[in-house]
Amino acid sequence: MNEMSRVTAISTYAVADGIAILTIDSPPVNALGHAVRVALEAGLRRAVADADAHGIVIHCAGRTFFAGADISEFGKPLQQPDLNAVFDLIEASTKPVVAAIHGTALGGGMELALACHYRVATSSAKLGLPEVSLGLLPGAGGTQRVPRLVGIEKALTLIVGGRPIGATKALADGLIDRIVEGDLLPGAILYAQQLIARGEPLRRVRDLAVDLDATATREALERFRATHKRDLQGFKAPGLILQAIEAAATLTFDEGLAREWALFEELVDSQESIAQRHLFFAERTAGKIPIERGVQPLTVERVAVIGAGTMGTGIAMVFLNAGYPVFLVDKAGDAAERGAARIHKTFGDLADKGRISPEEGMRRVGLLRIGSSLEDAVSGADLVVEAIFESMALKQAIFKEIDAVAKAGAILASNTSFLDLDEIAAVTARPDQVIGLHFFAPANIMRLLEVVRGARTSDAVIATGMSLGRRLGKVAVLSGVCDGFIANRVMKPRMEAAEALVLEGPTPSEIDRAMNRYGFAMGPFQMFDLVGLDVIGWDRDNSAGRTVQEVLCEMGRWGQKKNGGYYDYDEQRRAAPSPVAEQVIREFAARANVPQQAFDDAQIVERLLYPVVNEGAKVVEEGIALRASDVDIALATGYGWPVWTGGPMCWADRIGLPRIVDSLDAMIGPDSVSPLLRRLAAEGGRLTS
Ligand code: 3HC
């Protein structure tokens, strides 16, 4: 190799055995921001002009090939050269250009690779077009080049689905040309030399034909639309992706590219994409927490889970999935055996559905031990997660026991969803080692993990909780101690508002429908019925018909599990509005002299969700959540808050805080409005930055 020289501050150039190597080094993920585009342009021009170079390899330093366009540049004026200008240079090169891919070639990164004449990758590399998850479409040729390489049907799956694929599949589908075993760069150079030696023509994807004609493409798009109707609901990007793919089959390449760009611009400025980009950064920002510099997470190798109920078994599965040996313990009869049976069944089902291999299922099951002795379970564990019944007395008793048998330095975590963690920690001799790890049901599915820091929890233990969350594949959000922590506390006003509103005229199904149309899979009354009216705070011994819930519970209408609740259910558990429940509600309202009126969807949304915004602001001003975006990501991942709104705080900013404050003043009274919300509204400020 001749001497390596700098092209720009983030790129180098060298020639090895007749092949120019252009290396970009822009940590952390080589996003294709302006500086990277400038570096690529300069490097390419040099390579094309260099008489010693007969081929060109584009390669990235660091952990990954280009992970996409720089998302933080969207919505700002575009600085030249843009991606398509760089790709034109690549494609027009008279010397073969080979992309050498490692890590993740995503979005604009994969599009860059497709603009190269050939592509080689390591076997561990992944390629994908995840723009859809940002409310976007590939805007640098992806929708035009992918169908030319793999056909319309596969392009639809890849681009609308947005899930990256591994190198082996990419090779089989024709997206890449070779998998390099061993070192990538020498493999890529060798491949370029072989192309030149064989006199292979420059393979410009733009010149390939799409596999289907216009009519067959439209039919394929219709089929896809029909099959994926439910998944696409509420999102704008998938529909526009279909239009861009249609353009690939019906227009020339350049016309298709122009169409793609117009559609991309439409999406980039859309509220949906702004909201989804907000959540992308919110997820990453949540990991930035105020702890002393240099504090490192503690080592966690063995885990004990106390309590083999639904939550405990779910939590055990989360750790097993991530490869941790787990001891699941329950003192009650054969509860641990029953928990283990549920775990075996879940892994068996996953294997049957092809989601994991049978060997992987066996491996996970092999990491599980069960028993009824607390000491056996806890003594060898670095982390103990308590998931027993939600009672302070019971939790304090079990924490005393755990503290006595756990090894020094072991972290004691509670999965409590409402109780005061500090009161639990106070009964132990190690309050600095006590933390909340609040999983959301079903624990093995929901992505949110609230890491609750008590008044005395040490920074090292907090750091461990947060890094553990990441290892478990969760979105870890740090919360202070309060009733309900972030997500449950912020959502509680929706429940209370729904219970109040149903007395004023709208039926449970009208309220739920407004929430469903807003984007929630379930409205409050659907949720009450699913969870069971008897378990959401019904005090059976003192029940005296004081609320609709009490009346329904006293009638034995406990929800889906018993006699229906707010809805009636048939044998298949299909819900229908319940005349009985509605009569109970109207009689109750009449007794309480509540005036009746009609509410449309928008009014219902205001009544139920503005109080949520208010509570979110309170959680931020009290320091329970570190920032408003933490509230958004917590609700999006823990409560299914529709991602195209960006979460309650982002949504509130869009509506305008003055309007929300005015409405809240009238709805709940000025004294109940968050001072932070009021101040920001007065200053023209925003909750999210
Ligand atoms: N633009 C800007 N910043 C990005 C970025 C991007 N495309 N991708 C990642 N980052 C930043 C993150 O915000 C984070 O910043 P921080 O350290 O300040 O918090 C840092 O890079 C590291 O990211 P992660 O914490 O996510 O690192 P991981 O190793 O867990 O994951 C990854 C790496 C798989 C590449 C993941 O970051 C990712 O999925 N990135 C987004 C990929 C993507 O969506 N690409 C498409 C962009 S849109 C596009 O290309 C449009 C085009 O068609 C025109």
Side-chain angles (χ1 to χ4, degrees), residues 35 82 141 152 192 218 236 268 290 399 402 425 434 463 477 515 539 590 665:
D82 63 19
I152 294 285
R218 288 193 185 107
K236 188 171 178 179
V268 134
F399 264 76
I402 298 169
V434 175
V477 177
M515 287 296 104
D539 181 354
D665 278 341

Side-chain angles (χ1 to χ4, degrees), residues 358-372:
E359 298 77 42
E360 177 58 21
M362 293 301 288
R363 196 185 65 78
R364 292 185 194 180
V365 164
L367 291 168
L368 178 68
R369 279 183 71 192
I370 58 166
S372 56

Side-chain angles (χ1 to χ4, degrees), residues 251-285:
L251 304 177
T252 65
F253 182 83
D254 286 320
E255 286 166 352
L257 214 54
R259 178 94 185 101
E260 178 194 76
W261 181 246
L263 293 168
F264 179 84
E265 284 203 301
E266 187 178 333
L267 286 176
V268 134
D269 293 332
S270 70
Q271 291 303 336
E272 291 87 342
S273 176
I274 292 169
Q276 286 175 259
R277 273 141 48 198
H278 162 72
L279 287 177
F280 174 86
F281 287 115
E283 182 173 337
R284 281 142 186 97
T285 309

Side-chain angles (χ1 to χ4, degrees), residues 305-313 328-331 335 374 385-388:
V305 177
I306 320 288
T310 311
M311 222 42 219
T313 48
L328 178 64
V329 61
D330 201 305
K331 289 181 182 175
L374 201 67
V385 185
E386 164 277 310
I388 63 166

Side-chain angles (χ1 to χ4, degrees), residues 287-346:
K288 299 183 186 6
I289 54 166
I291 54 171
E292 207 179 306
R293 255 180 109 87
V295 170
Q296 291 301 317
L298 306 171
T299 306
V300 173
E301 279 169 5
R302 310 188 76 79
V303 179
V305 177
I306 320 288
T310 311
M311 222 42 219
T313 48
I315 293 170
M317 278 191 273
V318 172
F319 282 97
L320 295 170
N321 290 345
Y324 288 92
V326 174
F327 200 130
L328 178 64
V329 61
D330 201 305
K331 289 181 182 175
D334 60 353
E337 282 78 6
R338 280 185 282 120
R342 279 201 298 277
I343 292 173
H344 282 232
K345 180 167 178 340
T346 305

Side-chain angles (χ1 to χ4, degrees), residues 198-218:
R198 287 202 305 266
E200 294 280 348
L202 299 178
R203 191 157 177 262
R204 297 193 176 99
V205 178
R206 62 155 57 221
D207 298 334
L208 305 178
V210 176
D211 63 336
L212 301 180
D213 64 18
T215 312
T217 297
R218 288 193 185 107

Side-chain angles (χ1 to χ4, degrees), residues 27-260:
V29 295
N30 291 305
L32 287 152
H34 182 241
V36 172
R37 300 194 302 272
V38 168
L40 282 165
E41 183 184 44
L44 282 160
R45 288 196 192 287
R46 179 159 164 190
V48 168
D50 188 343
D52 293 337
H54 306 291
I56 304 166
V57 168
I58 299 181
H59 166 253
C60 285
R63 65 197 217 219
T64 181
F65 195 71
F66 310 98
D70 184 340
I71 301 166
S72 64
E73 284 184 356
F74 295 157
K76 299 177 186 156
L78 184 66
Q79 287 179 284
Q80 293 296 335
D82 63 19
L83 281 177
N84 280 327
V86 174
F87 297 177
D88 283 349
L89 266 182
I90 296 176
E91 228 167 20
S93 160
T94 48
K95 305 172 183 179
V97 184
V98 176
I101 302 169
H102 75 293
T104 42
L106 299 178
M110 175 166 165
E111 291 173 297
L112 181 142
L114 297 182
C116 294
H117 303 120
Y118 296 93
R119 290 152 289 282
V120 302
T122 61
S123 57
S124 60
K126 288 199 162 70
L127 291 89
L129 294 167
E131 283 88 344
V132 70
S133 61
L134 297 167
L136 294 171
L137 54 76
T143 64
Q144 305 305 299
R145 288 192 178 91
V146 173
R148 285 176 162 78
L149 267 179
V150 304
I152 294 285
E153 306 260 6
K154 283 190 177 138
L156 281 168
T157 309
L158 194 73
I159 305 176
V160 180
R163 254 189 301 279
I165 56 171
T168 311
K169 178 154 174 46
L171 182 67
D173 286 352
L175 278 170
I176 60 171
D177 303 293
R178 179 180 285 183
I179 290 179
V180 173
E181 306 296 347
D183 287 348
L184 176 62
L185 198 50
I189 294 169
L190 179 66
Y191 185 71
Q193 288 169 331
Q194 289 169 344
L195 290 171
I196 295 163
R198 287 202 305 266
E200 294 280 348
L202 299 178
R203 191 157 177 262
R204 297 193 176 99
V205 178
R206 62 155 57 221
D207 298 334
L208 305 178
V210 176
D211 63 336
L212 301 180
D213 64 18
T215 312
T217 297
R218 288 193 185 107
E219 283 165 7
L221 294 176
E222 264 330 298
R223 277 196 305 276
F224 190 86
R225 234 180 236 120
T227 328
H228 296 87
K229 202 169 159 205
R230 266 189 72 160
D231 304 337
L232 309 186
Q233 218 171 348
F235 293 97
K236 188 171 178 179
L240 269 60
I241 290 174
L242 298 194
Q243 290 181 35
I245 291 181
E246 182 175 344
T250 52
L251 304 177
T252 65
F253 182 83
D254 286 320
E255 286 166 352
L257 214 54
R259 178 94 185 101
E260 178 194 76

